[in-house]
Amino acid sequence: MPALLILNYDVTDPQRLDAYRRAATPVLLGPDAGELLASTDRTVHLSEGGRPAGGTHTVVLRFADAEQARTVYESEQYRELLEERLAATRPFTAMIVPAL
């Protein structure tokens, strides 16, 4: 069953995030990885339960299944790059959602 990897954050260092994106694209996307469904800096949040809103930027990637999404996200290759994204953003959420 396909699964979505959803990342949401505010960008604090655009140049550093651009460098991360250039390095992370071949790891996250491709025949053995995911497919980019959406990447936007215009996320609209709806308030529920008094929780704080999330970030302005959202990325949605589709993988063959949740196991593949987790394998790519937790891979040594991506974990080395993740520190760059975290340093260039204020992260709000990262989740894997099985798609129906």
Side-chain angles (χ1 to χ4, degrees):
M1 171 186 333
L4 305 175
L5 172 61
I6 302 169
L7 308 171
N8 177 254
Y9 48 83
D10 280 329
V11 177
T12 57
D13 186 336
Q15 289 147 339
R16 194 168 189 177
L17 186 62
D18 284 345
Y20 154 82
R21 286 177 178 151
R22 285 190 299 277
T25 294
V27 175
L28 293 173
L29 306 178
D32 295 325
E35 170 190 5
L36 179 65
L37 296 183
S39 179
T40 182
D41 61 357
R42 294 178 285 188
T43 301
V44 175
H45 292 277
L46 306 173
S47 179
E48 285 194 1
R51 294 185 188 139
T56 57
H57 200 96
T58 301
V59 176
V60 181
L61 303 167
R62 179 173 44 208
F63 290 84
D65 54 38
E67 183 178 332
Q68 183 191 31
R70 182 179 290 278
T71 297
V72 170
Y73 183 82
E74 292 178 348
S75 71
E76 183 177 325
Q77 197 175 19
Y78 183 68
R79 298 311 273 179
E80 290 173 6
L81 299 171
L82 177 60
E83 293 304 317
E84 285 302 304
R85 180 171 61 81
L86 296 177
T89 65
R90 187 176 66 166
F92 282 91
T93 192
M95 66 182 81
I96 296 172
V97 180
L100 297 176

